[in-house]
Amino acid sequence: GAGVSQTPSNKVTEKGKYVELRCDPISGHTALYWYRQSLGQGPEFLIYFQGTGAADDSGLPNDRFFAVRPEGSVSTLKIQRTERGDSAVYLCASSRGSSSPDTQYFGPGTRLTVL
Amino acid sequence: QKEVEQDPGPLSVPEGAIVSLNCTYSNSAFQYFMWYRQYSRKGPELLMYTYSSGNKEDGRFTAQVDKSSKYISLFIRDSQPSDSATYLCAMSAQGRDDKIIFGKGTRLHILP
């Protein structure tokens, strides 16, 4: 079946602009996670959704970052007033959310470059 | 000190060799331990998932967890050029509804 998909695959923007990154989870997966991976580093947690609600947003670096999942499926990560330090690969993962252990399946990521 | 420490490498070994990758961690609450493989410009792919201490084997891959030493390992037997990738150790406190904490990843090159 289809895996996690993310669009766009690449996004180049200018400092100060607003960007939206989209994640389509595996069908039926109730849990959705966003991570950020900088060059040479492992992914770092940003936010976790169970259904439509953000169950844990402790990884969001500041209030320029916001994410939504209005219908409990597709999620959008929104970054306002982008800074050069926001350049990274943004990864989305989804899981069934119903068993333990609960495997997280990752998408290919969106590579964000802020000029 | 980071919660999870992993040597970034790169590690180069000849084809057919046994590869040993490892991580240390500081948070004793971690109970679920994972190894992910990541090819260039791709998302991480789960290789092994272990709960608490012990060994788990899957084909050419063996994962070991020693909670008393806060040390986990991944062994790859009969390594192949297609195993060349970045290997990320990862862990979480709960098996579900929980963020994963990743190591930096070790870049592995298998030389034909």
Side-chain angles (χ1 to χ4, degrees), chain A residues 35 37 48 97 101-102 104 111, chain B residues 38 41 49 95-97 100:
Chain A
Y35 294 82
Q37 187 172 23
Y48 156 56
D102 189 30
Q104 294 183 24
R111 185 173 298 272
Chain B
Q38 187 173 28
R41 294 188 174 260
Y49 200 138
R96 52 171 287 190
D97 303 332
I100 294 174

Side-chain angles (χ1 to χ4, degrees), chain A:
Chain A
V4 177
S5 62
Q6 293 186 245
T7 54
S9 54
N10 284 283
K11 176 70 177 178
V12 180
T13 190
E14 294 179 342
K15 181 175 178 293
K17 299 289 188 183
Y18 168 82
V19 296
E20 289 190 352
L21 312 179
R22 176 187 168 109
C23 172
D24 277 272
I26 293 172
S27 177
H29 280 192
T30 61
L32 185 146
Y33 302 78
W34 284 98
Y35 294 82
R36 177 169 70 174
Q37 187 172 23
S38 300
L39 192 63
Q41 304 294 317
E44 291 184 309
F45 170 78
L46 295 176
I47 187 169
Y48 156 56
F49 287 89
Q50 181 57 258
T52 60
D56 183 356
D57 64 358
S58 62
L60 295 177
N62 52 59
D63 61 5
R64 295 187 298 106
F65 288 74
F66 189 70
V68 295
R69 195 186 185 199
E71 296 178 358
S73 178
V74 170
S75 177
T76 305
L77 179 65
K78 309 180 181 197
I79 311 174
Q80 298 177 323
R81 304 184 304 280
T82 52
E83 299 177 357
R84 292 194 180 87
D86 298 335
S87 296
V89 176
Y90 289 81
L91 293 163
C92 177
S94 72
S95 68
R96 295 185 191 279
S98 59
S99 61
S100 180
D102 189 30
T103 301
Q104 294 183 24
Y105 297 89
F106 283 80
T110 293
R111 185 173 298 272
L112 176 66
T113 303
V114 182
L115 301 177

